[in-house]
Amino acid sequence: MTSTDPPCPLSPIQNLPLPNPSTFSHLYRPNASNKTVVLGIEGSANKVGVGVLAFDPQTETYQTLSNPRKTYVSPVGCGFLPKETSWHHQAHVVGLVRAALEEAYPDDEKPHRHLSAIAFTLGPGMGGPLRSCAIAARTLALLWKLPLVAVNHCIAHIEMGRVATSAADPVVLYVSGGNTQVIAYSDGRYRIFGETIDIAVGNCLDRFARVVGLSNDPSPGYNIELEARKHTNETPLKFVELPYVVKGMDVSFSGLLTNIEELTKSKNFVKDGQTDNADQFTIADLCYSLQETIFAMLVEITERTMAHCGQTSVLVVGGVGCNKRLQDMLGLMVKDRGGTLCAMDHRYCIDNGAMIAQAGMFGLQYGSDSMCVKGVEGTECRQRFRTDQVEVVWRPKTRRKHA
């Protein structure tokens, strides 16, 4: 069973007025209970998830009915490769669909009859895993005679966050294993104000974890966070200075990664045991220093975007977004500006099927031409699919007034 939350109201996020389902009757129909229910399939990286999300027109609320997922955990010192990850997703996606439907409708022998559509991740992501889940979505759509909704992975993170935290118009910090972007909405699209110019923040953390031999279970980034948490007022860790690379509104992590990898080869690096002198440093010291440095870079460009857009709220999404230290640092910055931080835990920050269902639900309800594909045509996965390439038809086309 997956933990579920109370229904989330539509009104706080200030979308456009919801069209009557009859407007798009050629696209979808509510079920017999007059609810719109979407099953979402996510599999762009090493996690495969299936979520069932329902919209109740009487209360105008969205609710996640189920959201199970499985993670491909590679051996210590290794990353996850497309072929093995694809095999993992293919082995688990059918069982996850069955589990999600059984949890959402436990007393129904034919739970799929409640569905209005199937949503899936079109991109961006790893080719093999994306195609594995897309094939599953196409098959289910044909089998159950349901429409398909193609979803941008980044948009799904944002919309899940907006609904879950009731954030109407925040600056978005999107940080994950494959993406690092600072985003704000303007004139019908999510505009990217700053991003990484080389590797993503999550990729930087993962690769460092492999260098020092930290486990990939449940994730290398989380195990770095655990090491860094050893820093307390009573027992402070040593801060090792690392390259701080902010270029305008963009950030760079590759040089920082090279630098910290070289530090692990130095004579002052103590992999096991305690340090003997002030020049030595441990794995925990490096994990703490790495987090403090890269999170400070992210907070800086996020604050610049807030100032430029005149915004007071920040929404942090993506797998790295559930890091408590990052949330604390963002929270302090936002508090100083008189704003609010909108953050979630691992259930919705980390890749999951419910977020695909949420973005798919919006695309369906507002009749997005680009998302509501015809048959299986238009479902070719796109490994490169930027956030600002999607027309956001469910939000007012307001232009950003720069501060």
Side-chain angles (χ1 to χ4, degrees), residues 19-101:
N20 191 297
S22 62
T23 307
F24 301 112
S25 58
H26 61 291
L27 295 178
Y28 79 101
R29 289 179 175 82
N31 61 25
S33 302
N34 201 34
K35 294 181 179 181
T36 303
V37 182
V38 175
L39 182 142
I41 302 177
E42 153 61 22
S44 60
N46 69 324
K47 294 171 179 64
V48 54
V50 178
V52 178
L53 187 93
F55 174 75
D56 188 340
Q58 290 188 332
T59 58
E60 291 198 334
T61 57
Y62 295 97
Q63 184 171 21
T64 301
L65 303 181
S66 60
N67 198 22
R69 68 178 166 220
K70 292 280 188 178
T71 302
Y72 171 63
V73 178
S74 54
V76 175
C78 300
F80 52 91
L81 301 176
K83 182 169 68 173
E84 287 80 4
T85 309
S86 301
W87 291 344
H88 172 269
H89 292 6
Q90 291 163 20
H92 290 289
V93 67
V94 173
L96 286 170
V97 169
R98 185 178 292 113
L101 288 173

